[in-house]
Amino acid sequence: MMSATVHMNSAFQQCINLDCRATYDVGQVLTSCPGCGSLLDVSYDWNRIAVPSSLGAFRDRWSSRRNPLDFSGVWRFRELLRFARDDQFVTIGEGQTLLQQNDRLATLCRMKPGTLFLQYEGLNPSGSFKDNGMAAASTHARMVGAAITACASTGNTSASLAIYAGVTGYFRCLVFVGSGRIAYGKLSQALDYGARTIQIRGDFDDALARVRQICEKHPIYLCNSVNPFRLEGQKTIMYRVLEALDGDVPDWIIVPGGNLGNCSAFGKAFLELAQLGLVDRIPRLAVINAAGAGTFDQLVNRDSLSWNDGRPQTDIIGDYYAELDRRGARATTLASAIEINQPVNLTKALRALSVCNGVVRAVSDQEILDARALIGANGFGCEPASAASIAGLRLLRNTGVIAETDRVVCILTGHQLKDPDLTVAYHSGDADLHAKKLRPAGVLSTAFANPPVVVDNDESAILEAVDLPAIMR
Ligand code: F0G
């Protein structure tokens, strides 16, 4: 039996800068350390929390899944993010996601059968992994009595915050998006769920800087991933992966990198699981940027930026951003979810690389869209940014970093229906659509397209187009 004891003082916020390490109460609303400006973690005094001695104990909660907290794929693991009381946790049924072994895709990635797993986070209520984090951020917002919440978003964070605000009614929400860069599936969600939606003339980096400024000056609760509570919820993606693999830690986790919140949360999850003795080893982490938004890849691989035992070389980051500003450089990729040049969780992501002996790579839009089509043809599909994980796997296989027998989990962060325009543009074979949507981004080939066949409304013409023998081949 697991204890339902409340441990309010067992959690606190803590600065990640090893020269500072200041701590703050969980009741405070902070998105950076007031002392030194670094990012904050939610930390725990594990001695005061009744953490079960094996991960299997969390799985056993399925038998009591009529309790909403046991049904939630986030709060089922509540001892591992015990920053609130049971009666404060917010859930809308997030985290009912699947790990699917996919041998056909494995073969296409030059992996052995039985080695490749896809974690479908698009199966969350708003269709992306963000709901894991938003369950936790909404909980904290409720704890501190926030009446208005806000986020900047490339689309999924806004859809997620909007659904939590709309379904629970605990707070109102404001979402800020850049102009023209948000996929329609996501914009439609924010509008439909009733979020006050502000389209800023600028891109995501502009929108995030602006919303941070506004939240600092007004009583508005910020739900972007600089909010340390959000990342606590995203740790549970890793717990569910381990649960699905029966505790057998994979060799690699591959995840797209945008604002670098997810990979940071994964690193923290494994750091804590190892500290608690709940895993016997830590997987390697591969973070995949889109080449047109490749800040992390450039900083780590070109400029040798590292965690450096908790003292990352901040001058390297400053120089890089100054250079971006000087050139007026903007992130640009068809994987609009990760079209970000100034990732706010950069230093936490460096820590995750250090914890997980990780690597960073960048892939082109061509590679992303081809990978996306392969996932669609062999699995449940995903949105473009999510396919960066499979594109990254193909790259890491081709360069010999990942072996064909390694066990690999690719995180598919968002649902196939999030960005239908781009999917149809890829498959359609319509020259105008290609010229408008794909070619400007350097996507010249649509090798895995499955175009619709246009035909007159006539039986024999239709049968000819159906071409039964061809389908059966
Ligand atoms: N995949 C999808 C589908 C996303 O929506 C995002 C981020 C990422 C990957 C990258 O994750 O930021 O944790 O590195 N989307 C944010 C948004 C930025 O506003 O929805 P990250």
Side-chain angles (χ1 to χ4, degrees):
M1 270 296 286
M2 273 185 275
S3 147
T5 323
V6 174
H7 297 275
M8 277 311 290
N9 297 324
S10 54
F12 49 94
Q13 303 186 66
Q14 184 165 37
C15 177
I16 71 164
N17 175 354
L18 291 195
D19 291 328
C20 175
R21 299 305 270 164
T23 60
Y24 304 94
D25 195 83
V26 288
Q28 283 184 266
V29 179
L30 300 167
T31 52
S32 61
C33 176
C36 76
S38 298
L39 293 168
L40 294 171
D41 271 335
V42 181
S43 296
Y44 304 92
D45 178 355
W46 295 113
N47 294 323
R48 306 182 57 172
I49 303 177
V51 178
S53 57
S54 88
L55 285 173
F58 297 108
R59 186 178 46 203
D60 294 346
R61 284 188 168 143
W62 277 103
S63 59
S64 56
R65 66 204 297 266
R66 284 176 61 193
N67 168 3
L69 295 188
D70 287 347
F71 179 72
S72 165
V74 169
W75 302 119
R76 194 145 47 85
F77 300 97
R78 50 196 173 271
E79 283 78 5
L80 299 174
L81 56 159
R82 171 56 86 191
F83 63 82
R85 296 192 312 262
D86 280 8
D87 63 354
Q88 293 171 314
F89 290 140
V90 175
T91 178
I92 61 167
E94 58 287 321
Q96 311 308 313
T97 61
L98 268 184
L99 187 77
Q100 177 198 62
Q101 186 184 311
N102 195 315
D103 285 348
R104 287 198 304 174
L105 199 54
T107 307
L108 290 165
C109 296
R110 300 178 45 244
M111 302 286 296
K112 288 276 184 216
T115 56
L116 176 61
F117 299 84
L118 306 179
Q119 174 71 5
Y120 285 106
E121 286 301 313
L123 298 179
N124 272 294
S126 80
S128 86
F129 73 95
K130 303 284 180 182
D131 295 349
N132 295 285
M134 216 49 84
S138 301
T139 295
H140 191 247
R142 186 183 177 201
M143 265 171 82
V144 299
I148 306 174
T149 58
C151 69
S153 185
T154 55
N156 281 323
T157 303
S158 50
S160 183
L161 179 58
I163 202 174
Y164 275 83
V167 170
T168 66
Y170 290 141
F171 40 72
R172 310 303 292 253
C173 96
L174 255 173
V175 309
F176 292 73
V177 298
S179 285
R181 306 300 303 183
I182 171 171
Y184 263 26
K186 306 174 190 184
L187 181 60
S188 73
Q189 289 180 288
L191 302 176
D192 218 25
Y193 300 145
R196 178 128 184 97
T197 304
I198 313 289
Q199 261 180 311
I200 294 179
R201 291 194 190 89
D203 64 11
F204 171 82
D205 291 312
D206 297 324
L208 183 56
R210 204 52 91 180
V211 75
R212 289 184 80 168
Q213 184 189 47
I214 289 170
C215 289
E216 256 160 43
K217 292 191 183 153
H218 303 274
I220 303 175
Y221 182 93
L222 184 63
C223 287
N224 279 100
S225 52
V226 279
N227 177 332
F229 294 90
R230 235 198 67 192
L231 297 192
E232 290 303 288
Q234 287 169 216
K235 294 189 307 192
T236 64
I237 300 170
M238 290 299 101
Y239 306 153
R240 296 198 299 274
V241 164
L242 290 178
E243 191 175 73
L245 293 174
D246 224 0
D248 205 356
V249 177
D251 296 305
W252 286 91
I253 303 285
I254 310 186
V255 62
N259 230 354
L260 305 180
N262 226 12
C263 60
S264 298
F266 297 175
K268 186 168 187 282
F270 281 107
L271 186 64
E272 292 172 351
L273 288 176
Q275 281 168 351
L276 290 165
L278 292 173
V279 288
D280 50 11
R281 67 190 186 98
I282 291 178
R284 295 192 70 186
L285 183 66
V287 183
I288 312 298
N289 273 168
T295 296
F296 197 37
D297 171 56
Q298 294 278 307
L299 283 172
V300 169
N301 295 318
R302 190 195 67 185
D303 299 346
S304 304
L305 179 68
S306 71
W307 174 238
N308 194 29
D309 287 330
R311 293 174 187 85
Q313 306 87 339
T314 41
D315 51 325
I316 298 182
I317 305 171
D319 290 351
Y320 187 88
Y321 288 160
E323 170 65 12
L324 286 183
D325 284 346
R326 203 187 50 73
R327 287 192 284 121
R330 294 279 163 192
T332 147
T333 168
L334 290 177
S336 57
I338 52 174
E339 193 178 56
I340 297 171
N341 252 354
Q342 305 212 7
V344 292
N345 289 296
L346 185 60
T347 46
K348 282 188 177 177
L350 293 170
R351 180 178 65 183
L353 291 185
S354 154
V355 168
C356 300
N357 185 18
V359 299
V360 186
R361 293 291 184 271
V363 290
S364 68
D365 281 4
Q366 178 76 62
E367 291 166 315
I368 288 175
L369 289 202
D370 286 342
R372 206 209 59 78
L374 291 177
I375 298 163
N378 297 283
F380 299 171
C382 64
E383 67 166 283
S386 312
S389 58
I390 286 290
L393 170 60
R394 283 157 66 92
L395 176 69
L396 291 164
R397 273 293 298 129
N398 288 341
T399 48
V401 178
I402 292 184
E404 63 178 357
T405 51
D406 283 350
R407 276 158 51 96
V408 176
V409 175
C410 286
I411 311 299
L412 299 186
T413 47
H415 198 280
Q416 194 270 355
L417 291 173
K418 288 279 188 177
D419 193 353
D421 291 19
L422 203 51
T423 307
V424 172
Y426 183 94
H427 285 297
S428 73
D430 178 324
D432 284 349
L433 265 184
H434 283 196
K436 207 165 114 210
K437 290 240 174 204
L438 306 184
R439 304 262 186 266
V443 177
L444 305 178
S445 117
T446 50
F448 305 104
N450 175 30
V453 184
V454 182
V455 65
D456 286 338
N457 185 10
D458 168 86
E459 186 180 351
S460 60
I462 291 171
L463 277 178
E464 194 179 326
V466 167
D467 195 1
L468 283 178
I471 294 179
M472 297 312 293
R473 270 201 291 276

Coordinates of all heavy atoms in Angstrom, one line a residue, residues 128-130 152-158 186 204 234 256-263 337-338 340 383 385-386 413-414, ligand 1:
S128 N -1.1 16.6 -27.6 CA 0.4 16.7 -27.5 C 0.9 16.4 -26.1 O 0.1 16.4 -25.1 CB 0.9 18.1 -27.9 OG 0.9 19.0 -26.9
F129 N 2.2 16.2 -26.0 CA 2.8 16.0 -24.7 C 2.7 17.1 -23.7 O 2.9 16.9 -22.5 CB 4.3 15.7 -24.9 CG 5.2 16.9 -25.2 CD1 5.8 17.6 -24.2 CD2 5.3 17.4 -26.5 CE1 6.6 18.7 -24.4 CE2 6.0 18.6 -26.7 CZ 6.7 19.2 -25.7
K130 N 2.3 18.3 -24.1 CA 2.2 19.4 -23.2 C 1.3 19.2 -22.1 O 1.4 19.8 -21.0 CB 1.8 20.7 -24.0 CG 2.6 21.0 -25.2 CD 3.9 21.7 -24.8 CE 4.8 22.0 -26.0 NZ 6.1 22.6 -25.7
A152 N 3.1 31.9 -24.1 CA 3.4 32.1 -25.5 C 3.6 30.7 -26.1 O 3.9 29.8 -25.4 CB 4.7 32.9 -25.7
S153 N 3.3 30.6 -27.4 CA 3.3 29.2 -27.9 C 3.5 29.2 -29.4 O 3.1 30.1 -30.2 CB 2.0 28.5 -27.6 OG 2.0 27.2 -28.0
T154 N 4.1 28.1 -29.9 CA 4.1 27.7 -31.3 C 2.8 26.9 -31.6 O 2.7 26.4 -32.7 CB 5.4 26.9 -31.7 OG1 5.5 25.8 -30.8 CG2 6.6 27.8 -31.6
G155 N 2.0 26.7 -30.6 CA 0.7 26.1 -30.9 C 0.2 25.1 -29.9 O -0.9 25.1 -29.4
N156 N 1.1 24.2 -29.5 CA 0.7 23.1 -28.6 C 0.5 23.5 -27.1 O -0.4 23.1 -26.5 CB 1.6 21.9 -28.7 CG 1.4 21.1 -30.0 OD1 0.2 21.0 -30.4 ND2 2.4 20.6 -30.6
T157 N 1.4 24.4 -26.7 CA 1.3 24.8 -25.3 C 0.0 25.6 -25.2 O -0.7 25.5 -24.2 CB 2.5 25.7 -24.9 OG1 3.7 25.0 -25.1 CG2 2.4 26.2 -23.5
S158 N -0.3 26.4 -26.2 CA -1.6 27.2 -26.1 C -2.8 26.3 -26.1 O -3.8 26.5 -25.3 CB -1.6 28.3 -27.2 OG -1.4 27.7 -28.4
K186 N -3.8 23.6 -34.2 CA -3.5 24.1 -32.9 C -4.2 25.4 -32.6 O -4.7 25.7 -31.6 CB -2.0 24.3 -32.8 CG -1.2 23.1 -33.1 CD 0.3 23.3 -33.1 CE 1.1 22.1 -33.7 NZ 2.5 22.3 -33.6
F204 N 7.8 33.3 -32.4 CA 7.6 32.8 -31.0 C 8.6 33.4 -30.0 O 8.2 33.7 -28.9 CB 7.9 31.2 -31.1 CG 7.9 30.6 -29.7 CD1 6.8 30.4 -29.0 CD2 9.2 30.4 -29.1 CE1 6.8 29.8 -27.7 CE2 9.2 29.9 -27.8 CZ 8.1 29.6 -27.1
Q234 N 6.2 16.7 -17.0 CA 6.7 16.1 -18.2 C 7.7 15.0 -17.8 O 8.0 14.1 -18.7 CB 7.3 17.1 -19.1 CG 6.2 17.9 -19.8 CD 6.6 19.2 -20.5 OE1 5.9 20.2 -20.5 NE2 7.8 19.2 -21.2
P256 N 12.5 15.5 -30.0 CA 12.8 16.8 -30.7 C 13.1 17.9 -29.7 O 12.5 17.9 -28.6 CB 11.4 17.1 -31.4 CG 10.5 16.0 -31.1 CD 11.1 15.1 -30.1
G257 N 13.9 18.9 -30.1 CA 14.2 20.0 -29.2 C 13.7 21.3 -29.7 O 14.1 21.7 -30.9
G258 N 12.9 22.0 -29.0 CA 12.5 23.4 -29.3 C 12.9 24.3 -28.3 O 14.0 24.9 -28.3
N259 N 12.0 24.5 -27.3 CA 12.4 25.3 -26.1 C 13.2 24.5 -25.1 O 13.5 25.1 -24.0 CB 11.1 25.9 -25.5 CG 11.1 27.4 -25.3 OD1 12.1 28.0 -25.5 ND2 10.0 27.9 -24.8
L260 N 13.4 23.3 -25.4 CA 14.2 22.4 -24.6 C 13.7 22.0 -23.2 O 14.4 21.7 -22.3 CB 15.7 22.9 -24.5 CG 16.3 23.2 -25.8 CD1 17.8 23.7 -25.6 CD2 16.4 21.9 -26.7
G261 N 12.4 22.1 -23.0 CA 11.8 21.8 -21.8 C 11.7 20.3 -21.6 O 12.0 19.7 -20.5
N262 N 11.2 19.6 -22.7 CA 11.0 18.2 -22.6 C 12.3 17.4 -22.3 O 12.3 16.6 -21.3 CB 10.4 17.7 -23.9 CG 9.2 16.8 -23.7 OD1 8.7 16.6 -22.6 ND2 8.8 16.1 -24.7
C263 N 13.3 17.7 -23.0 CA 14.6 17.0 -22.8 C 15.1 17.3 -21.4 O 15.7 16.4 -20.7 CB 15.6 17.2 -23.9 SG 16.1 19.0 -24.0
A337 N 6.4 23.8 -34.7 CA 6.4 23.6 -33.2 C 7.7 23.9 -32.6 O 7.8 24.3 -31.5 CB 5.9 22.2 -32.9
I338 N 8.8 23.7 -33.4 CA 10.1 23.8 -32.8 C 10.9 25.0 -33.5 O 12.1 25.0 -33.5 CB 10.9 22.5 -32.8 CG1 10.9 21.9 -34.2 CG2 10.4 21.5 -31.8 CD1 11.8 20.6 -34.3
I340 N 12.2 27.8 -33.0 CA 12.6 28.6 -31.8 C 14.1 28.8 -31.9 O 14.9 27.8 -32.0 CB 12.3 27.9 -30.5 CG1 10.7 27.7 -30.4 CG2 12.8 28.6 -29.3 CD1 10.3 26.8 -29.3
E383 N 2.8 14.9 -36.0 CA 3.0 16.2 -36.6 C 4.5 16.4 -37.0 O 5.4 15.6 -36.5 CB 2.6 17.4 -35.7 CG 3.4 17.6 -34.5 CD 3.0 18.9 -33.8 OE1 3.5 20.0 -34.3 OE2 2.3 18.9 -32.8
A385 N 7.1 18.3 -36.3 CA 8.2 18.5 -35.3 C 8.5 17.1 -34.6 O 9.7 16.8 -34.3 CB 7.8 19.5 -34.2
S386 N 7.5 16.4 -34.4 CA 7.7 15.1 -33.7 C 8.6 14.1 -34.5 O 9.3 13.3 -34.0 CB 6.3 14.4 -33.5 OG 5.4 15.3 -32.9
T413 N 5.8 13.7 -30.2 CA 5.3 14.7 -29.2 C 3.9 15.2 -29.5 O 3.2 15.6 -28.6 CB 6.3 15.9 -29.2 OG1 6.6 16.2 -30.6 CG2 7.6 15.5 -28.5
G414 N 3.5 15.1 -30.8 CA 2.2 15.7 -31.2 C 1.4 14.9 -32.2 O 2.0 14.2 -33.0
Ligands
F0G1 N1 7.2 18.7 -30.4 C1 6.1 19.5 -30.4 C2 4.9 18.9 -31.1 C3 6.0 20.7 -29.7 O1 4.9 21.4 -29.7 C4 7.2 21.2 -29.1 C5 7.2 22.5 -28.4 C6 8.4 20.4 -29.1 C7 8.3 19.2 -29.8 C8 9.6 20.9 -28.5 O2 9.5 20.7 -27.1 O3 10.0 23.0 -26.4 O4 10.1 21.1 -24.8 O5 11.8 21.3 -26.5 N2 6.2 23.3 -28.5 C9 6.1 24.6 -27.7 C10 4.8 25.2 -27.9 C11 7.3 25.5 -27.9 O6 4.6 26.4 -27.7 O7 3.8 24.4 -28.1 P1 10.4 21.6 -26.1

